Amino acid sequence: MKKKTKIILIIVGMLVLASSIFFAVSYKVAQNPKNVIKNEVGNNQKYTPIEDVPFDYNFADMVEDKCYIVMPPNIVYHIKELNNFIENVNRGISDEIMIIEYTKEEQPILTNLKYIDNKFILKVDNRRDGYAKEEDKKIITKEYDANKYELVKSDIQKKISNITTYYQLDLKSKEADETITICNYADVKKLENERFKIVFNKDESIDKSLILGRDETNKYDYDIYSYKGTVDIIINEEKISLRDALINDKITVEEILEKANKDAREDKTIFGSVYLDGGSSFYIYDDYEILKCHKLSSIGKWNPGYKDLYIGVPSMVTSSVLDPNSAKLTITMGNVWGEEKKTVTLNDEDTSALYQIIQFLEFKKETCDGLSNYYISLNSETENNLEQYGLETYESAYHITAKNQGEAILSEEQRNIVKQIINKYFN
C-alpha cells in the first residue's frame, strides 16, 4: 500500500471515530436535557449542612454566608442568590440555596433546597421556633424527582408591604394538584439608566474608615465613612473614589440619599427603612448598605455628631455602627377636634409601620388648605424639637402634610395601614 493511501485511510478512520463520539454524546444529552451542565454541589457544599449549623446562628453570619433572608414586614437580603439558584435549576445546573425566614415572633426557620442529580432535596429546620410544638422542633428532609416537580414563582401575590411585593416560591407537581411552598419570594425590580452607581469593595481588614470629614468641607455637618471596605463610584462611565467625587462636586450626599429613597419607594432596592433612635435610615442593596444616622443625644437635641453617613457591608446595621437598643423614637398622634386633645404613644410595630410610610413619601405642593385631624410628632419628649406632620383624613383620601415640604397623598395600601393604626388608638 502506498504511503499516501495509508495517510488518507488514517484520516478517514479518525473522522469516523470522532463522528461516533459526537453522535453518542449528542444522543445522551438529548435523552437527559436537564443535565447538560453540571456543577457538583454534593462534594463542594456552598453552605454548612443544615444539621451542623450552630443553634445560635446569628443574623450577621447569615448575611455573610449569603443566605436568602426574609424578615417581616419587608426586609429581604440576597435576592440575587435566590434568583441565581432558580436560573441554575432552569438550566439543569446543580446548585443549592439556604433560606432563612423569620416568624412574626422573630424566630428563624432554616430551609436548605438543593438541586442535584435531577432531584430536589428539601431540608427544613424548625428547631429554633420557640412557639412551635415540641414534636415539630426537628429537621424534616424530603426528596422530589425533578421530572415530576418544577420550581415556580406563584402568580398570586402573597403579601404586600409599602416597600416590597411578596409572592410564593413553590415546588409544584406536574402530575397532580400538589404544591410545596418553599419561601416568600420578593419581586425586586432592577435599576436602569442610572446616572451613577456605587461600587463597594469589601475588605474585612478595614474597620471604620473616614471618607470625608466635616472639617474638610462646609457642605456637610457630619462625617462620611466606609465600613469593612472602600467605596468607589461610577459616573459618566468613569470610576473614581467616592471621596474624589464628593470633593470635586461630581455628586452630593443628598443625591445619593435621594436616589436611595426613590429606589425604596419604587420597589427597586431590597429594603429601605428607619431605626427608632431618632430617625436613622438605612438602605440595603445586594452588595452594600447605606446608613444615615440621625440619633438623639441624652438631652433630647439633635447632635451633629450623631448624623454621620456610613456605606458598608450588608448587616452593618446589626453591628456596632448603630445600636438598635439606643433611645427609642416615639410617635404621638393628637386629635385636634373637640376641647380636649387625646395624645397616645404608638407601640414599636405601629411606630415603624407609620414612620416607614412617612419616610418614603414624595411631598408636593399642597392641593388644598384642609385642616389636620391628627398630628404625627417625632421625639415627643422635647417640645421645641418636634418633627411634626399633619394628617388630613377624608372618606376618599388621606393626606400627610409637612412644614416646608408640602403635601403627600397616600396610596390605598398606605391609607389602609394608617386607618388601622388610627382606629386602634382612637376608637
Side-chain angles (χ1 to χ4, degrees):
M1 186 180 294
K2 294 183 180 180
K3 185 176 181 180
K4 186 175 181 180
T5 304
K6 286 183 178 180
I7 294 173
I8 292 173
L9 289 175
I10 290 171
I11 293 173
V12 170
M14 292 175 67
L15 290 173
V16 170
L17 179 61
S19 299
S20 300
I21 293 172
F22 172 78
F23 285 114
V25 171
S26 299
Y27 175 78
K28 187 175 182 180
V29 168
Q31 292 296 103
N32 191 9
K34 285 284 281 183
N35 291 312
V36 174
I37 307 172
K38 284 200 174 184
N39 170 24
E40 295 300 337
V41 173
N43 299 325
N44 253 325
Q45 295 223 352
K46 289 171 62 176
Y47 303 95
T48 301
I50 202 166
E51 298 85 355
D52 299 331
V53 173
F55 195 81
D56 59 350
Y57 195 30
N58 63 58
F59 183 73
D61 288 339
M62 294 174 186
V63 174
E64 182 70 19
D65 293 342
K66 292 188 177 297
C67 301
Y68 172 66
I69 305 170
V70 179
M71 298 179 68
N74 48 23
I75 297 181
V76 181
Y77 276 86
H78 298 314
I79 182 70
K80 183 188 295 184
E81 296 298 321
L82 183 61
N83 283 335
N84 287 343
F85 172 78
I86 296 170
E87 183 179 347
N88 284 339
V89 170
N90 291 334
R91 295 173 59 196
I93 303 174
S94 297
D95 201 356
E96 70 169 319
I97 186 72
M98 183 73 83
I99 299 163
I100 315 289
E101 285 199 280
Y102 280 81
T103 66
K104 63 180 181 180
E105 295 86 13
E106 300 183 357
Q107 308 292 321
I109 308 297
L110 277 61
T111 299
N112 182 274
L113 181 61
K114 186 181 293 184
Y115 172 73
I116 189 170
D117 295 334
N118 209 34
K119 63 183 177 184
F120 295 102
I121 303 174
L122 177 66
K123 294 186 178 183
V124 180
D125 186 354
N126 196 36
R127 294 175 297 170
R128 296 165 186 80
D129 186 357
Y131 292 85
K133 296 178 180 179
E134 285 302 317
E135 58 268 27
D136 294 332
K137 293 182 180 180
K138 58 186 177 182
I139 297 175
I140 300 172
T141 302
K142 293 186 178 181
E143 293 188 8
Y144 301 91
D145 187 343
N147 292 317
K148 298 180 180 180
Y149 290 84
E150 59 182 341
L151 193 64
V152 297
K153 186 192 82 170
S154 65
D155 294 330
I156 302 174
Q157 296 178 3
K158 180 176 175 63
K159 182 170 77 173
I160 303 175
S161 73
N162 60 311
I163 304 297
T164 307
T165 301
Y166 292 105
Y167 299 82
Q168 279 185 185
L169 186 68
D170 302 319
L171 276 176
K172 284 194 173 182
S173 172
K174 299 177 182 179
E175 301 175 349
D177 185 17
E178 183 186 7
T179 299
I180 300 93
T181 298
I182 304 300
C183 64
N184 282 339
Y185 179 95
D187 189 11
V188 181
K189 301 176 184 177
K190 296 302 178 183
L191 301 177
E192 298 176 355
N193 302 321
E194 297 173 319
R195 191 183 86 79
F196 64 88
K197 180 179 181 181
I198 291 175
V199 179
F200 181 75
N201 313 292
K202 183 179 177 181
D203 187 342
E204 289 289 345
S205 65
I206 301 174
D207 196 26
K208 185 172 79 170
S209 178
L210 183 66
I211 294 176
L212 185 64
R214 73 187 74 186
D215 56 348
E216 298 180 73
T217 175
N218 58 3
K219 300 174 188 174
Y220 310 112
D221 62 351
Y222 51 84
D223 296 327
I224 301 164
Y225 293 95
S226 63
Y227 184 74
K228 298 293 185 183
T230 60
V231 185
D232 294 322
I233 194 159
I234 298 175
I235 189 165
N236 298 327
E237 300 184 355
E238 178 188 9
K239 184 177 180 180
I240 58 176
S241 70
L242 179 59
R243 175 182 172 84
D244 289 343
L246 292 170
I247 289 176
N248 296 313
D249 295 325
K250 292 182 179 291
I251 198 168
T252 65
V253 171
E254 288 77 14
E255 190 175 0
I256 292 173
L257 294 176
E258 182 181 352
K259 177 179 178 297
N261 269 289
K262 184 173 183 291
D263 290 343
R265 284 198 308 269
E266 297 181 359
D267 295 346
K268 289 183 177 179
T269 61
I270 302 302
F271 179 63
S273 189
V274 295
Y275 258 84
L276 306 181
D277 61 352
S280 298
S281 55
F282 63 96
Y283 309 91
I284 302 173
Y285 289 82
D286 284 343
D287 304 315
Y288 64 91
E289 288 184 6
I290 299 174
L291 166 64
K292 181 63 175 70
C293 294
H294 202 175
K295 301 171 72 175
L296 294 173
S297 70
S298 58
I299 58 173
K301 294 181 180 179
W302 301 117
N303 186 328
Y306 292 155
K307 292 185 179 180
D308 296 337
L309 176 83
Y310 293 85
I311 299 178
V313 292
S315 79
M316 179 171 59
V317 295
T318 63
S319 69
S320 58
V321 173
L322 183 64
D323 180 7
N325 297 315
S326 58
K328 293 242 176 153
L329 181 68
T330 62
I331 299 180
T332 61
M333 304 175 66
N335 192 329
V336 300
W337 299 113
E339 295 181 359
E340 189 173 337
K341 296 180 182 178
K342 179 182 177 183
T343 300
V344 298
T345 301
L346 277 61
N347 63 30
D348 287 354
E349 182 181 355
D350 294 331
T351 297
S352 178
L354 184 53
Y355 194 59
Q356 282 179 37
I357 290 176
I358 294 173
Q359 178 74 3
F360 304 116
L361 288 176
E362 188 171 355
F363 289 92
K364 299 179 180 179
K365 186 176 179 181
E366 288 196 51
T367 56
C368 63
D369 295 323
L371 294 175
S372 295
N373 303 73
Y374 302 90
Y375 289 106
I376 305 170
S377 303
L378 282 60
N379 183 27
S380 59
E381 295 178 359
T382 309
E383 184 177 353
N384 297 325
N385 195 34
L386 296 180
E387 184 177 348
Q388 194 172 77
Y389 299 87
L391 174 60
E392 302 170 0
T393 61
Y394 305 93
E395 288 186 5
S396 59
Y398 277 26
H399 299 177
I400 287 184
T401 59
K403 188 176 180 180
N404 300 325
Q405 293 187 64
E407 178 183 80
I409 300 176
L410 301 185
S411 67
E412 182 178 357
E413 178 193 346
Q414 291 170 335
R415 177 191 173 187
N416 289 336
I417 294 172
V418 174
K419 189 174 182 179
Q420 288 176 7
I421 294 173
I422 294 288
N423 291 339
K424 180 177 180 179
Y425 290 92
F426 291 94
N427 279 347

